[in-house]
């Protein structure tokens, strides 16, 4: 049997001991505390709050789009929805949603596994794929990072954003090569980074005193062959008709595999080779399993989650403790409840470790001149909106919130 998990960090059971400590914790874990939230929690156990938040299902952005469409057009159909209106679902959840930790975790994951409407084009004009992507992040917020990577890989929004939608196998006759965009970003941004890491997130140094690079472009070329053959079910994806529900619905479901477009050549990357003749689904599974097994994933993802919630420049020991929980897939809450299923990448266990680490203890953190972070403008805004009781139930009519890119808006 696996060894028992370590005891919970000292002091974490006092997280809700005062109004100040309770408010400070909820500032980290939600889109902003209100008096109505803080006062009932004072004197309770943070373990109960975390478990309750883990069990809240949250809302569906896709379902919200149907509601907005019905209000605007008079019919609850996807026949017309204002472009970029997935922003509306975000504001509604952030300001008035009940599943606050799930939504905050999805927001944090969206800053690591980035797909964006920025730059216009299809993802801004057609809200369905980004709404589906938001649902993927919310659904997997407390699941396993490996499962999240798989859903992200098969999501139409990511396929379009990182240009592997319709990615075809190489053709020696024409010189065509598989698109390398997603293969590069899934390593560099989503899982392991660029250089070898110690468990505490610091760089491993080579004999020359420089960080050890993890891979070359040959690894990217080999991995790119894995992500060939994924596409929408409908061939008219490049010219979507906004009143054609059949075409639009292809953006609301996982990408399909088209075997004739998938490369069955051997795929070599990161010290492994997927044998020639391996079909797309098996290739993707093998690639994601191999990436997930890399020792960098725990400290690379763990450090970014720390930065999204607690300090922007965490101590290496803090990163190590969180990475160890990510790898172990289990964490013991202050009341003795075990969180996580024991598989590497359990996000409920990992986020518990982020919040309840000794470095994040209320008194310890306040005594440190280097602990903490500036709140992002979005989080400052949502906290103001929640404290002042802004009604976000009809965000489709808040035109100023459709697009907050300009520094004049939120100073983001």
């Amino acid at each position: 049997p696996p060894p028992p998990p370590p005891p919970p960090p000292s002091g974490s059971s006092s997280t809700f001991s005062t109004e100040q400590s309770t408010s400070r914790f909820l500032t980290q874990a939600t889109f902003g505390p209100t008096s109505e939230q803080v006062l009932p929690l004072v004197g309770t156990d943070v373990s109960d709050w975390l478990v309750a938040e883990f069990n809240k299902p949250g809302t569906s952005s896709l379902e919200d789009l149907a509601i907005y469409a019905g209000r605007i057009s008079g019919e609850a159909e996807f026949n017309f929805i204002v472009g970029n209106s997935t922003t509306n679902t975000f504001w509604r959840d952030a300001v008035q949603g009940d599943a606050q930790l799930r939504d905050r975790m999805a927001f944090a994951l969206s800053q690591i596994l980035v797909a964006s409407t920025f730059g216009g084009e299809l993802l801004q004009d057609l809200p369905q794929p980004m709404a589906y992507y938001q649902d993927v992040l919310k659904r997997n917020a407390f699941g396993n990072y490996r499962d999240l990577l798989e859903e992200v890989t098969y999501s139409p929004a990511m396929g379009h954003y990182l240009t592997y939608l319709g990615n075809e196998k190489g053709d020696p006759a024409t010189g065509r090569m598989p698109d390398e965009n997603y293969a590069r970003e899934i390593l560099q941004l989503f899982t392991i980074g660029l250089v070898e890491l110690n468990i505490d997130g610091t760089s491993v140094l080579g004999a020359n005193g420089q960080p050890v690079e993890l891979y070359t472009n040959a690894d990217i070329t080999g991995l790119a062959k894995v992500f060939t053959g994924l596409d929408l079910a409908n061939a008219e994806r490049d010219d979507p008709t906004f009143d054609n529900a059949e075409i639009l619905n292809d953006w609301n479901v996982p990408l399909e595999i088209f075997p004739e477009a998938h490369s069955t050549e051997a795929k070599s990357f990161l010290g492994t080779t997927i044998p020639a003749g391996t079909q797309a689904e098996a290739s993707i599974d093998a690639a994601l399993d191999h990436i997930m097994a890399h020792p960098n994933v725990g400290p690379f993802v763990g450090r970014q989650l720390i930065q999204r919630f607690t300090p922007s420049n965490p101590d290496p020991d803090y990163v190590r403790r969180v990475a160890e929980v990510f790898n172990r897939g289990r964490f013991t809450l202050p009341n003795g409840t075990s969180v996580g299923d024991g598989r590497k990448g359990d996000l409920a266990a990992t986020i518990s470790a982020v919040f309840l680490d000794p470095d994040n203890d209320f008194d310890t953190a306040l005594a440190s001149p280097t602990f903490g972070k500036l709140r992002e403008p979005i989080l400052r805004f949502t906290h103001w909106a929640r404290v002042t009781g802004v009604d976000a139930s009809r965000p489709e009519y808040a035109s100023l919130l459709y697009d907050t890119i300009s520094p004049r808006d939120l100073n983001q």
Side-chain angles (χ1 to χ4, degrees):
S10 61
S12 59
S13 60
S14 63
T15 301
F16 289 163
S17 59
T18 66
E19 289 183 34
Q20 290 81 5
S21 64
T22 304
S23 179
R24 181 257 190 177
F25 178 87
L26 294 179
T27 298
Q28 295 177 334
T30 72
F31 283 99
T34 65
S35 297
E36 292 76 14
Q37 282 184 304
V38 170
L39 296 177
L41 289 176
V42 175
T44 65
D45 194 321
V46 67
S47 309
D48 297 330
W49 186 86
L50 285 169
V51 171
E53 291 295 307
F54 292 153
N55 289 329
K56 290 179 180 178
T59 60
S60 167
S61 295
L62 273 175
E63 292 178 1
D64 285 346
L65 284 185
I67 295 172
Y68 298 151
R71 290 175 182 167
I72 294 169
S73 67
E75 301 176 10
E77 299 289 345
F78 285 84
N79 59 335
F80 176 76
I81 305 174
V82 175
N84 213 24
S85 58
T86 44
T87 303
N88 298 333
T89 71
F90 172 82
W91 293 122
R92 199 284 309 272
D93 288 341
V95 176
Q96 288 186 307
D98 179 55
Q100 281 285 297
L101 181 56
R102 181 176 295 276
D103 292 332
R104 273 287 280 115
M105 186 67 163
F107 179 50
L109 291 170
S110 77
Q111 295 173 291
I112 300 172
L113 301 148
V114 176
S116 174
T117 63
F118 181 73
E121 300 178 346
L122 188 142
L123 291 183
Q124 182 166 340
D125 296 334
L126 189 66
Q128 283 85 351
M130 285 303 294
Y132 175 79
Y133 192 70
Q134 287 179 345
D135 285 351
V136 166
L137 299 179
K138 287 188 278 189
R139 182 165 57 248
N140 290 278
F142 307 130
N144 191 277
Y145 199 70
R146 164 63 177 82
D147 299 334
L148 174 59
L149 286 174
E150 182 168 328
E151 283 213 55
V152 165
T153 299
Y154 282 93
S155 66
M158 185 62 77
H160 178 82
Y161 186 65
L162 289 185
T163 63
Y164 63 95
L165 189 68
N167 191 14
E168 295 187 66
K169 61 185 176 183
D171 185 350
T174 64
R176 183 182 68 212
M177 299 288 288
D179 188 292
E180 298 179 359
N181 209 6
Y182 188 62
R184 191 177 311 277
E185 306 296 36
I186 195 174
L187 298 183
Q188 179 177 342
L189 301 180
F190 300 170
T191 57
I192 63 175
L194 292 171
V195 300
E196 188 175 343
L197 299 177
N198 296 303
I199 187 67
D200 64 3
T202 58
S203 299
V204 173
L205 303 181
N208 61 357
Q210 298 300 310
V212 178
E213 295 186 1
L214 284 174
Y215 45 85
T216 69
N217 200 62
D219 295 283
I220 302 300
T221 301
L223 182 57
K225 298 176 185 177
V226 170
F227 305 112
T228 53
L230 290 172
D231 210 339
L232 299 175
N234 196 298
E236 299 178 45
R237 67 178 190 282
D238 293 325
D239 185 25
T241 303
F242 287 81
D243 60 357
N244 189 325
E246 180 180 354
I247 294 176
L248 291 181
N249 285 336
D250 292 334
W251 292 92
N252 307 336
V253 294
L255 298 175
E256 291 192 11
I257 292 172
F258 292 81
E260 66 277 8
H262 178 72
S263 174
T264 55
E265 296 179 1
K267 309 169 180 80
S268 298
F269 63 97
L270 294 181
T272 192
T273 298
I274 298 174
T278 305
Q279 297 301 312
E281 184 176 3
S283 290
I284 292 172
D285 284 344
L288 295 181
D289 286 344
H290 185 67
I291 294 169
M292 190 68 188
H294 196 282
N296 265 34
V297 180
F300 186 78
V301 175
R303 186 175 190 273
Q304 291 189 77
L305 287 175
I306 292 171
Q307 290 176 312
R308 300 276 67 81
F309 289 95
T310 46
S312 57
N313 188 27
D315 185 85
D317 284 341
Y318 189 177
V319 176
R320 173 184 55 78
R321 290 187 291 266
V322 170
E324 288 172 346
V325 170
F326 183 95
N327 291 341
R328 188 167 57 243
R330 200 179 301 277
F331 183 83
T332 301
L333 298 176
N335 68 357
T337 300
S338 180
V339 177
D341 63 5
R343 290 188 300 149
K344 180 180 181 180
D346 190 282
L347 292 175
T350 302
I351 195 59
S352 298
V354 169
F355 289 135
L356 301 179
D357 189 86
D359 278 11
N360 194 42
D361 178 74
F362 183 61
D363 293 329
T364 302
L366 288 185
S368 171
T370 62
F371 192 91
K373 59 176 289 187
L374 287 174
R375 276 189 297 175
E376 300 158 63
I378 285 176
L379 298 180
R380 294 206 309 271
F381 172 77
T382 57
H383 191 185
W384 168 82
R386 288 170 57 76
V387 166
T388 57
V390 167
D391 183 3
S393 62
R394 305 295 290 266
E396 68 272 25
Y397 297 120
S399 59
L400 289 175
L401 294 179
Y402 279 7
D403 183 351
T404 58
I405 290 173
S406 171
R408 295 188 302 271
D409 299 325
L410 298 180
N411 199 30
Q412 176 77 14

